[in-house]
Amino acid sequence: SRYAFQIEQYLRVFPREALMVVSSEGLRSNREQTVRDIYGFLGVDATIVPETLEREFYRTDERAGYPPIVWWLRRTVKRYIPAGKRAKELIDHVLPSSLGRVPEKAPAAKDPTFTIPDDVREQLVERLRDDVRDLRPFMPEDFDGWGLA
């Protein structure tokens, strides 16, 4: 959550003009333009559009219904194996199809009426307000600060 703090760590090593910050909201709602903006920043041919541009990778709902052994393997691999990310990708993409992805129960639907309790929201705002304020200079003008600052 503390994005400004993380950006500051990069700015200790790289000049500001070498850093581009992209919001996940922008990438999700305006993917092609955001990718073209990134290409422009990097000096890459912005006319090339990847075939997988519209695909979202590593979505939680894609893993819903994994057998318990798969969840255990994912956690164990991530924690104890040096190349854990690569091994975890193997578990996510190869092992479930080998075992047969038979959901034990249907994934829970997102509750559109869910709201964060007021006391929890107040704590989050208090903890993140300064960081979100410090993040603003790196974000587009229409960045709303997620309603925090």
Side-chain angles (χ1 to χ4, degrees), residues 115-133:
T115 56
I116 297 173
D118 289 340
D119 62 324
V120 174
R121 179 170 174 63
E122 288 172 20
Q123 289 177 26
L124 288 171
V125 169
E126 182 62 32
R127 288 184 183 188
L128 298 174
R129 179 182 290 124
D130 292 343
D131 192 78
V132 172
R133 182 199 63 229

Side-chain angles (χ1 to χ4, degrees), residues 59 62 80 108-109 129:
R59 291 178 52 101
E62 289 178 351
Y80 298 111
R129 179 182 290 124

Side-chain angles (χ1 to χ4, degrees), residues 77-94:
V77 163
K78 185 176 176 182
R79 190 173 297 146
Y80 298 111
I81 298 178
K85 182 172 171 61
R86 285 292 190 221
K88 192 168 70 69
E89 289 173 3
L90 176 70
I91 291 169
D92 283 349
H93 295 85
V94 176

